[in-house]
Amino acid sequence: MVLINKYINVKREEDTYMREYFLKTERLGFSIWHSDDVKYANSLWGDENVTKFIVANGKMSVEEVQNRLDREIDMYRQHNIQYWPVFLLQTNEHVGCCGVRPYNIQGKTLEFGIHLKRHYWGKGIAQEASQAVIDYSFTNLEVSSLFAGHNPKNRDSAKLLNKLGFKYTHDELYKPTGLQHPSYLLTKEG
């Protein structure tokens, strides 16, 4: 079940404030990246376990992480979408990000993606977060299809995309890795 426009307390080391979750599942809350989320961005994209499949050299510098955060914030300003930060509702822990970005605007196709911290792998969180973003994209964003790709060495991503109903269509060059990534499409009709 997905709920929209709920407010949840998020406790940070320095204070407690109300963090808005525009989307919720049973365990997860989806928020919007803000400039003060550097700590969360560093703990996600600063971890080589996460970035080994998304950038060519397998790791991101502090500056590259900041640039990635800035791009996500800018993406939201321009398009009202991003790879949204995801938190556990019960503990307020940041688990990663999951969302969409422009791919083929004229064709009403967005690119889907998910990055989770290693501690949360294998716990069903990827599938739960992904399904929520898929449902949100087709219902609220009114897209006709979602595109997704993965590093050819990342078998877990291939399994997840297949479980979610994505169909392989072709290989496509992904500039950040310099590799041909297996690419998939999921249409509203299934």
Side-chain angles (χ1 to χ4, degrees):
M1 179 178 190
V2 175
L3 301 173
I4 299 178
N5 292 327
K6 296 291 177 184
Y7 293 84
I8 304 295
N9 279 325
V10 176
K11 186 170 186 160
R12 292 199 178 172
E13 292 176 36
E14 55 277 3
D15 62 3
T16 300
Y17 72 101
M18 297 299 283
R19 183 163 199 122
E20 180 180 355
Y21 291 144
F22 70 93
L23 179 65
K24 285 175 50 181
T25 67
E26 184 179 328
R27 297 185 290 173
L28 307 172
F30 292 75
S31 189
I32 306 297
W33 285 110
H34 298 285
S35 59
D36 62 347
D37 287 332
V38 173
K39 178 177 90 173
Y40 298 131
N42 282 326
S43 68
L44 178 64
W45 296 309
D47 182 347
E48 292 180 35
N49 291 301
V50 175
T51 58
K52 67 183 174 183
F53 294 127
I54 59 175
V55 294
N57 71 355
K59 57 185 173 182
M60 294 172 77
S61 68
V62 171
E63 182 179 327
E64 289 169 322
V65 171
Q66 181 65 56
N67 290 340
R68 176 64 191 250
L69 176 60
D70 293 343
R71 283 194 312 272
E72 293 298 335
I73 293 167
D74 193 49
M75 181 82 58
Y76 188 76
R77 283 187 200 127
Q78 290 182 26
H79 302 284
N80 214 31
I81 55 175
Q82 61 182 201
Y83 281 20
W84 298 292
V86 180
F87 298 84
L88 289 177
L89 294 175
Q90 193 170 49
T91 63
N92 300 318
E93 294 172 71
H94 178 242
V95 300
C97 66
C98 185
V100 291
R101 60 185 174 200
Y103 181 74
N104 177 347
I105 300 297
Q106 294 82 6
K108 295 183 91 174
T109 300
L110 296 176
E111 182 174 347
F112 163 82
I114 182 167
H115 303 150
L116 288 184
K117 295 178 182 179
R118 183 178 184 156
H119 177 73
Y120 302 101
W121 296 355
K123 298 180 181 192
I125 290 173
Q127 187 164 352
E128 183 176 335
S130 298
Q131 193 61 59
V133 167
I134 289 166
D135 294 345
Y136 182 82
S137 297
F138 286 128
T139 303
N140 298 74
L141 303 177
E142 299 178 357
V143 300
S144 60
S145 59
L146 292 171
F147 167 85
H150 66 82
N151 188 303
K153 298 173 188 170
N154 191 341
R155 292 189 180 109
D156 290 331
S157 285
K159 288 179 195 174
L160 175 64
L161 291 173
N162 284 312
K163 276 186 194 177
L164 294 168
F166 281 84
K167 305 293 182 215
Y168 171 82
T169 55
H170 65 287
D171 286 352
E172 186 172 306
L173 177 65
Y174 183 63
K175 289 182 184 178
T177 63
L179 300 173
Q180 294 288 329
H181 284 208
S183 300
Y184 303 75
L185 203 63
L186 178 67
T187 61
K188 190 172 186 173
E189 295 77 37

